[in-house]
Amino acid sequence: MGSYELDSSLVDPTWEAVLLSERDVAGQIPINFVTQPAVSLTAACFGSNVFAKDSLTTCLSNLLTVGYRRFIVDLYWSADDEQWLLCPVSIPTEAEISSYLLTTSTLSSGTAMSVAAEVVTSTGTGTTTATATTTADSAQATITVVIDPDTSSEMYELGSYMCAKDLDLSTLLKIFASYYRKTASDLTAYVTYLVFNIHAASSAFHPDQPASAVSGSKLPSSKRHLSHMLNDDLGTYVYSPEMLGYDRSDLNGSWYRVSDENKPIIQYFTIDTDSDGIQSTPDGWPCEKYVQFAKERRLLAGFGSVDPQMQEYDLEDDADLIFPADYLSSNVAVSTSSNGTLQTGCFYSKGVTIVSQANSSWAETSHLTAFSNAISTDLLRGISQYVQELVSCGLSLLLNDTLLNKTADSGVDAYRNISFSSTWAWAIGEPRDAASPDNSIETKLDRCALMDLTLAGHWRSADCKEARYAACRVGNDPFTWNISTAKYPYANVSDACPLGSGFSVPRTGLENTYLYQYILSLSSDVIDPGSADMTKQGVWVDFNSLDVQSCWVSGGPNAECPYASNPQELERRTVLVATIAGIVICTIAALTLFVKCNTNRRNSRRTKRVIEGWEYEGVPS
């Protein structure tokens, strides 16, 4: 429990190549303009109102494995035991239980747990009933404690909810800490987001009634403030508001100071320059490469909604570590047709050339009304197409529904389909060489990315020797494109773009849409998706795996893979090296202990030798 568990059956080499290549191609785009699949933990993990530790561990692990990066977490403050719970109802204490009618049972035949109340009758094998009279009021509440005989874990049936004891914020944070440790290499590390909705927990004896307002001494103490708990478990991973403020105030000493590949694209934010030449930004955000590789951080945390019962909770005390409400999201009103096609809310607009005219910063929507509340298997295909349309328009979907009435611990496939649909670059099944078993000349031919107009502007891997037009970015503008003056093989496209433009690649779904729509506007003599001439059906983009198979990079045909070898092989080598390192360390420790004990026995006055340890983590980049 409390540990990230990778389900290897969910890992697919092609899908891993898609995630890695899209992370890398968008690596210099400020994080507020990069779409990410988002999910509500309440919907995806607790949709059946069962709040169990094992199911949370499996559910959250599965969601992380299949590509979800943004998590909306509903937290419930229980003033009775001073805990932030994931269950909406406080777990009763033994003292409280002893004052109420208590029914205890097991999931199967076995011994029921002992309780504080007096046992007055037996109602069958494995079930014991205990009773006591409440002094609080004349009414008696019923609480059922269910014990799993396999794990001996306790579950409390509280009205409409089944809740595990001690399923709290700490449990959640430990899973994320484990995830960060187990995905610490350059190949597997991704920036994630936690957004906390703040609620008050209902009473265990009135579980289906609204919670009472929390004030005064009932509010969280300083040690129970979210920032304090977050710092204890994940502080070394958090990119905080304090860090952002510092970085924004002096770009020369922050974002401009790192290596070129970790600098954010400046066309995405406003830059001010003071009289001393110091540049700053009022609205900029770092890119993922800066957060992840330059700052070595993995998490941004923010507040979402705060219930009226918790209005006296002082959010300012958390301001150094947790972003204010709605700072990491911007809800966009969208509308759809009866068949689910997006009608309003898209950030693509013909003729737009600068970001301020298509400002999709943190844009997201949870709009799924076109598909009704009873989401069925037949509707999943429509939802997937809808999600693809959202991403191509610069929007992220916040999944706030329990898909097919199954949570992601037992029915992850539907959630994986939504995550897959949130990718924007590659067509289904691409890049085709991701799982190729060798590095032969034949597989090396299809290592160049082509935007295929017959695939709605998605990319596919193509034979690099084919002559095609090339996509050319005008200046450094995110949304302004041109194409090469003629068709060229991939090896010759770098110098083929018109003056003032350069061979380039879309870095977000919205940039991809602007390129796609521009190409569709060209004369059919140049580009025609319906032509029998396949060379008119697509254009080269600056993305290839010529150096190392499955390692997709930009920078022209001579670009080198930063991971030194095949990503799958390198990941296996990382595990192998770490394992060997562990064996070596254990061996050295054992030998050292043996030698030390033997030496002390023979001559306690001899000088001790100190063998310094070493640590291995990650991969070369």
Side-chain angles (χ1 to χ4, degrees), residues 382 487 527:
K487 301 173 187 176
I527 295 291

Side-chain angles (χ1 to χ4, degrees), residues 33-98:
F33 289 101
V34 179
T35 53
Q36 299 282 4
V39 64
S40 162
L41 280 190
T42 298
C45 297
F46 308 126
S48 57
N49 283 344
V50 176
F51 295 78
K53 284 186 177 181
D54 286 343
S55 59
L56 171 64
T57 298
T58 303
C59 179
L60 183 53
S61 297
N62 287 349
L63 292 171
L64 286 164
T65 300
V66 300
Y68 285 90
R69 305 295 174 222
R70 294 175 59 86
F71 298 88
I72 313 303
V73 182
D74 291 296
L75 292 177
Y76 299 84
W77 174 249
S78 173
D80 295 335
D81 55 3
E82 298 185 335
Q83 295 286 344
W84 288 102
L85 304 178
L86 300 181
C87 174
V89 184
S90 294
I91 304 298
T93 65
E94 287 190 8
E96 290 173 322
I97 290 175
S98 66

Side-chain angles (χ1 to χ4, degrees), residues 184-405:
S185 78
D186 290 355
L187 290 165
T188 56
Y190 292 86
V191 172
T192 54
Y193 303 83
L194 283 175
V195 176
F196 300 117
N197 292 330
I198 305 303
H199 314 273
S202 296
S203 165
F205 307 103
H206 304 286
D208 294 314
Q209 296 182 15
S212 300
V214 181
S215 61
S217 61
K218 295 292 186 179
L219 288 165
S221 64
S222 59
K223 289 186 177 180
R224 288 298 172 185
H225 265 254
L226 291 180
S227 58
H228 191 282
M229 298 182 68
L230 189 67
N231 187 60
D232 282 349
D233 286 318
L234 299 175
T236 58
Y237 298 106
V238 176
Y239 183 82
S240 66
E242 189 175 41
M243 291 180 180
L244 176 65
Y246 172 81
D247 288 345
R248 281 179 168 180
S249 66
D250 182 8
L251 300 182
N252 306 69
S254 58
W255 302 345
Y256 295 170
R257 193 176 183 179
V258 298
S259 59
D260 288 345
E261 63 269 18
N262 293 334
K263 294 177 180 177
I265 304 298
I266 63 175
Q267 282 73 23
Y268 273 90
F269 50 86
T270 305
I271 298 175
D272 299 326
T273 305
D274 65 14
S275 57
D276 296 324
I278 302 298
Q279 292 190 333
S280 61
T281 176
D283 56 6
W285 287 84
C287 59
E288 182 161 354
K289 285 187 175 181
Y290 177 84
V291 173
Q292 186 166 281
F293 300 131
K295 300 295 288 185
E296 298 182 343
R297 302 284 165 158
R298 299 281 301 275
L299 172 66
L300 282 81
F303 284 110
S305 62
V306 179
D307 280 358
Q309 294 95 325
M310 292 295 293
Q311 287 300 317
E312 291 189 32
Y313 177 70
D314 191 357
L315 301 180
E316 289 299 318
D317 283 353
D318 297 319
D320 286 346
L321 205 66
I322 303 176
F323 287 95
D326 300 324
Y327 214 74
L328 300 180
S329 64
S330 176
N331 185 57
V332 176
V334 303
S335 62
T336 55
S337 63
S338 58
N339 64 359
T341 302
L342 193 65
Q343 290 186 317
T344 62
C346 185
F347 285 93
Y348 170 77
S349 180
K350 186 178 180 179
V352 165
T353 59
I354 57 176
V355 171
S356 61
Q357 297 172 313
N359 189 356
S360 60
S361 175
W362 298 118
E364 70 175 23
T365 181
S366 58
H367 182 83
L368 276 179
T369 56
F371 303 98
S372 79
N373 292 327
I375 296 174
S376 66
T377 303
D378 293 338
L379 287 175
L380 283 179
R381 181 182 297 274
I383 294 175
S384 295
Q385 294 173 347
Y386 171 64
V387 173
Q388 288 181 350
E389 190 174 6
L390 287 177
V391 172
S392 68
C393 284
L395 289 149
S396 298
L397 175 70
L398 165 57
L399 184 59
N400 204 20
D401 296 83
T402 305
L403 299 178
L404 304 182
N405 293 319

Side-chain angles (χ1 to χ4, degrees), residues 97-104 115-121 128-134 140-141:
I97 290 175
S98 66
S99 301
Y100 285 81
L101 176 66
L102 175 64
T103 301
T104 314
V115 295
E118 178 187 1
V119 176
V120 296
T121 183
T128 302
T129 301
T131 186
T133 303
T134 174
Q140 288 187 327

